[in-house]
Amino acid sequence: VRKLRQAGANMGNILAMDMAADAAGSLKNFKFGSPDLKRVISYFKPALCIFDPVQGFVPPEINMGSRNAMRDCLAPLISLGEDVGCTFLIIAHSNKRKGAFGRDRIADSADLWDISRSVIMAGYTGEHGTRYLSNEKNNYARLQDTVLFTIDDSGTIIKEGETWKKDRDFIQESAVAKTAPKREDCRECMIDTLEAAPEHSMKTDDLIKALQMAGHSPTAIRRVREQLKSEGIVETYATGSARQKTRAWYVRLKPPAPEPAFQELPYETPVPFDSPSA
């Protein structure tokens, strides 16, 4: 309610339940599929009803991880909305699973995505303070452009523009932004470690242990080593015999290619420009 007031809403059109002030517990049965919810919605006939968050309106006996249970729980909203002419907006938290986007980002039950006619994901862009609302599913129209916005110190929402990027793009950009500096640090650490080693060479296992002690993950070490190999900066080689079980693998910095020796051409060699006059 406070945010709506700060955004300049007509408060005469806003009705809100004060759960904290419900000392008698009369609102505890205001759950999805309950007679109390149906009676209130049918009486006020709102154009929009917001459930925030979804967990507060799911009956306690419902397992949110069960697809069938959640579908049965939410199904009455469809017929109720059609009868009353009300749109239901359900707010759900997102999970923190790395790399998840879209449907996989909805916490507790992805069935919320399946039963919804439209899904909007919220999150932060890479720019400080800028957030986005991305239309990820739309059964009634084409997917809409993503809205960019900020919230000032007074709580007012300020639209900053629109973009074609979706939730997936922002999630992946965030992952790259977090990974790139770590990989660059690992790259520098690997090169510095090899430069300090005798003949710029180390056993592969010893190099990995040294980098892990410096705080780098095995995945980052492997990817950086392969990248340096493809760039021709390091090379791997083996010593010993596999049959005699003395085989050992090494990583070393490749020596720079020798510069071609300078060759002075004869004075009469043709050139593509006029010779200076004597």
PDB file of all heavy atoms in Angstrom, residues 17 25 29 33 52 56 60 112 172 179 206 242 258 260 270-271:
ATOM      1  N   MET A  17      -5.677  -6.008   3.002  1.00  0.00           N
ATOM      2  CA  MET A  17      -5.872  -6.669   4.286  1.00  0.00           C
ATOM      3  C   MET A  17      -4.644  -6.453   5.161  1.00  0.00           C
ATOM      4  O   MET A  17      -3.510  -6.581   4.685  1.00  0.00           O
ATOM      5  CB  MET A  17      -6.100  -8.170   4.085  1.00  0.00           C
ATOM      6  CG  MET A  17      -7.337  -8.509   3.284  1.00  0.00           C
ATOM      7  SD  MET A  17      -7.628 -10.306   3.231  1.00  0.00           S
ATOM      8  CE  MET A  17      -6.108 -10.868   2.481  1.00  0.00           C
ATOM      9  N   GLY A  25      -7.602 -13.551  14.216  1.00  0.00           N
ATOM     10  CA  GLY A  25      -7.296 -14.649  13.306  1.00  0.00           C
ATOM     11  C   GLY A  25      -8.368 -14.915  12.285  1.00  0.00           C
ATOM     12  O   GLY A  25      -8.458 -16.025  11.744  1.00  0.00           O
ATOM     13  N   ASN A  29      -8.066 -18.136   7.311  1.00  0.00           N
ATOM     14  CA  ASN A  29      -8.665 -19.045   6.340  1.00  0.00           C
ATOM     15  C   ASN A  29      -8.768 -18.433   4.942  1.00  0.00           C
ATOM     16  O   ASN A  29      -9.409 -19.019   4.072  1.00  0.00           O
ATOM     17  CB  ASN A  29     -10.064 -19.475   6.814  1.00  0.00           C
ATOM     18  CG  ASN A  29     -10.017 -20.312   8.075  1.00  0.00           C
ATOM     19  OD1 ASN A  29      -9.110 -21.131   8.244  1.00  0.00           O
ATOM     20  ND2 ASN A  29     -10.985 -20.112   8.960  1.00  0.00           N
ATOM     21  N   GLY A  33      -8.790 -21.392  -2.884  1.00  0.00           N
ATOM     22  CA  GLY A  33      -9.816 -22.416  -2.887  1.00  0.00           C
ATOM     23  C   GLY A  33     -10.753 -22.372  -1.703  1.00  0.00           C
ATOM     24  O   GLY A  33     -11.691 -23.180  -1.640  1.00  0.00           O
ATOM     25  N   ASP A  52       0.550 -11.666  -2.290  1.00  0.00           N
ATOM     26  CA  ASP A  52       1.984 -11.428  -2.090  1.00  0.00           C
ATOM     27  C   ASP A  52       2.378 -11.773  -0.652  1.00  0.00           C
ATOM     28  O   ASP A  52       1.950 -11.084   0.284  1.00  0.00           O
ATOM     29  CB  ASP A  52       2.295  -9.962  -2.399  1.00  0.00           C
ATOM     30  CG  ASP A  52       3.787  -9.649  -2.270  1.00  0.00           C
ATOM     31  OD1 ASP A  52       4.599 -10.591  -2.226  1.00  0.00           O
ATOM     32  OD2 ASP A  52       4.112  -8.447  -2.214  1.00  0.00           O
ATOM     33  N   GLY A  56       1.802 -17.277   1.495  1.00  0.00           N
ATOM     34  CA  GLY A  56       0.863 -16.841   2.507  1.00  0.00           C
ATOM     35  C   GLY A  56      -0.569 -17.248   2.235  1.00  0.00           C
ATOM     36  O   GLY A  56      -1.428 -17.114   3.118  1.00  0.00           O
ATOM     37  N   PRO A  60      -2.133 -24.856   4.511  1.00  0.00           N
ATOM     38  CA  PRO A  60      -0.992 -25.500   5.176  1.00  0.00           C
ATOM     39  C   PRO A  60      -0.810 -26.960   4.819  1.00  0.00           C
ATOM     40  O   PRO A  60       0.306 -27.484   4.904  1.00  0.00           O
ATOM     41  CB  PRO A  60      -1.314 -25.325   6.674  1.00  0.00           C
ATOM     42  CG  PRO A  60      -2.776 -25.058   6.735  1.00  0.00           C
ATOM     43  CD  PRO A  60      -3.117 -24.338   5.474  1.00  0.00           C
ATOM     44  N   LEU A 112       3.403 -23.021 -10.921  1.00  0.00           N
ATOM     45  CA  LEU A 112       2.909 -21.645 -11.001  1.00  0.00           C
ATOM     46  C   LEU A 112       3.093 -21.106 -12.412  1.00  0.00           C
ATOM     47  O   LEU A 112       2.251 -20.365 -12.925  1.00  0.00           O
ATOM     48  CB  LEU A 112       3.660 -20.754  -9.994  1.00  0.00           C
ATOM     49  CG  LEU A 112       3.351 -20.997  -8.516  1.00  0.00           C
ATOM     50  CD1 LEU A 112       4.329 -20.215  -7.655  1.00  0.00           C
ATOM     51  CD2 LEU A 112       1.919 -20.582  -8.207  1.00  0.00           C
ATOM     52  N   GLN A 172      22.610 -14.564 -17.503  1.00  0.00           N
ATOM     53  CA  GLN A 172      23.873 -14.999 -18.087  1.00  0.00           C
ATOM     54  C   GLN A 172      24.920 -13.895 -18.042  1.00  0.00           C
ATOM     55  O   GLN A 172      26.098 -14.153 -17.795  1.00  0.00           O
ATOM     56  CB  GLN A 172      23.643 -15.462 -19.523  1.00  0.00           C
ATOM     57  CG  GLN A 172      22.842 -16.753 -19.622  1.00  0.00           C
ATOM     58  CD  GLN A 172      22.628 -17.231 -21.036  1.00  0.00           C
ATOM     59  OE1 GLN A 172      22.728 -16.454 -21.991  1.00  0.00           O
ATOM     60  NE2 GLN A 172      22.315 -18.506 -21.198  1.00  0.00           N
ATOM     61  N   THR A 179      32.243 -14.394 -13.227  1.00  0.00           N
ATOM     62  CA  THR A 179      33.241 -15.404 -13.540  1.00  0.00           C
ATOM     63  C   THR A 179      34.486 -14.818 -14.176  1.00  0.00           C
ATOM     64  O   THR A 179      35.603 -15.256 -13.898  1.00  0.00           O
ATOM     65  CB  THR A 179      32.640 -16.468 -14.484  1.00  0.00           C
ATOM     66  OG1 THR A 179      31.484 -17.027 -13.855  1.00  0.00           O
ATOM     67  CG2 THR A 179      33.643 -17.560 -14.777  1.00  0.00           C
ATOM     68  N   ASP A 206      51.400 -30.605  -9.462  1.00  0.00           N
ATOM     69  CA  ASP A 206      51.952 -29.587  -8.562  1.00  0.00           C
ATOM     70  C   ASP A 206      51.410 -28.201  -8.909  1.00  0.00           C
ATOM     71  O   ASP A 206      51.135 -27.384  -8.015  1.00  0.00           O
ATOM     72  CB  ASP A 206      53.481 -29.579  -8.641  1.00  0.00           C
ATOM     73  CG  ASP A 206      54.100 -30.856  -8.077  1.00  0.00           C
ATOM     74  OD1 ASP A 206      53.382 -31.547  -7.310  1.00  0.00           O
ATOM     75  OD2 ASP A 206      55.265 -31.138  -8.402  1.00  0.00           O
ATOM     76  N   ALA A 242      55.043 -44.978 -19.664  1.00  0.00           N
ATOM     77  CA  ALA A 242      53.768 -45.431 -19.132  1.00  0.00           C
ATOM     78  C   ALA A 242      53.847 -46.909 -18.761  1.00  0.00           C
ATOM     79  O   ALA A 242      53.235 -47.342 -17.773  1.00  0.00           O
ATOM     80  CB  ALA A 242      52.665 -45.199 -20.158  1.00  0.00           C
ATOM     81  N   PRO A 258      61.821 -17.194 -31.991  1.00  0.00           N
ATOM     82  CA  PRO A 258      62.935 -16.286 -32.302  1.00  0.00           C
ATOM     83  C   PRO A 258      62.563 -15.323 -33.422  1.00  0.00           C
ATOM     84  O   PRO A 258      61.875 -15.697 -34.372  1.00  0.00           O
ATOM     85  CB  PRO A 258      64.051 -17.241 -32.721  1.00  0.00           C
ATOM     86  CG  PRO A 258      63.340 -18.482 -33.190  1.00  0.00           C
ATOM     87  CD  PRO A 258      62.122 -18.592 -32.329  1.00  0.00           C
ATOM     88  N   PRO A 260      63.046 -13.218 -36.714  1.00  0.00           N
ATOM     89  CA  PRO A 260      63.840 -13.487 -37.921  1.00  0.00           C
ATOM     90  C   PRO A 260      65.063 -12.578 -37.989  1.00  0.00           C
ATOM     91  O   PRO A 260      65.010 -11.399 -37.612  1.00  0.00           O
ATOM     92  CB  PRO A 260      62.855 -13.183 -39.062  1.00  0.00           C
ATOM     93  CG  PRO A 260      61.825 -12.278 -38.453  1.00  0.00           C
ATOM     94  CD  PRO A 260      61.712 -12.693 -37.023  1.00  0.00           C
ATOM     95  N   PRO A 270      64.714  -3.772 -56.423  1.00  0.00           N
ATOM     96  CA  PRO A 270      63.593  -2.877 -56.772  1.00  0.00           C
ATOM     97  C   PRO A 270      62.713  -2.603 -55.541  1.00  0.00           C
ATOM     98  O   PRO A 270      62.483  -3.489 -54.712  1.00  0.00           O
ATOM     99  CB  PRO A 270      62.826  -3.654 -57.841  1.00  0.00           C
ATOM    100  CG  PRO A 270      63.798  -4.666 -58.353  1.00  0.00           C
ATOM    101  CD  PRO A 270      64.693  -5.009 -57.212  1.00  0.00           C
ATOM    102  N   VAL A 271      62.242  -1.387 -55.446  1.00  0.00           N
ATOM    103  CA  VAL A 271      61.348  -0.994 -54.350  1.00  0.00           C
ATOM    104  C   VAL A 271      60.124  -0.317 -54.955  1.00  0.00           C
ATOM    105  O   VAL A 271      60.192   0.238 -56.053  1.00  0.00           O
ATOM    106  CB  VAL A 271      62.059  -0.033 -53.362  1.00  0.00           C
ATOM    107  CG1 VAL A 271      63.175  -0.751 -52.625  1.00  0.00           C
ATOM    108  CG2 VAL A 271      62.609   1.185 -54.099  1.00  0.00           C
TER     109      VAL A 271
END
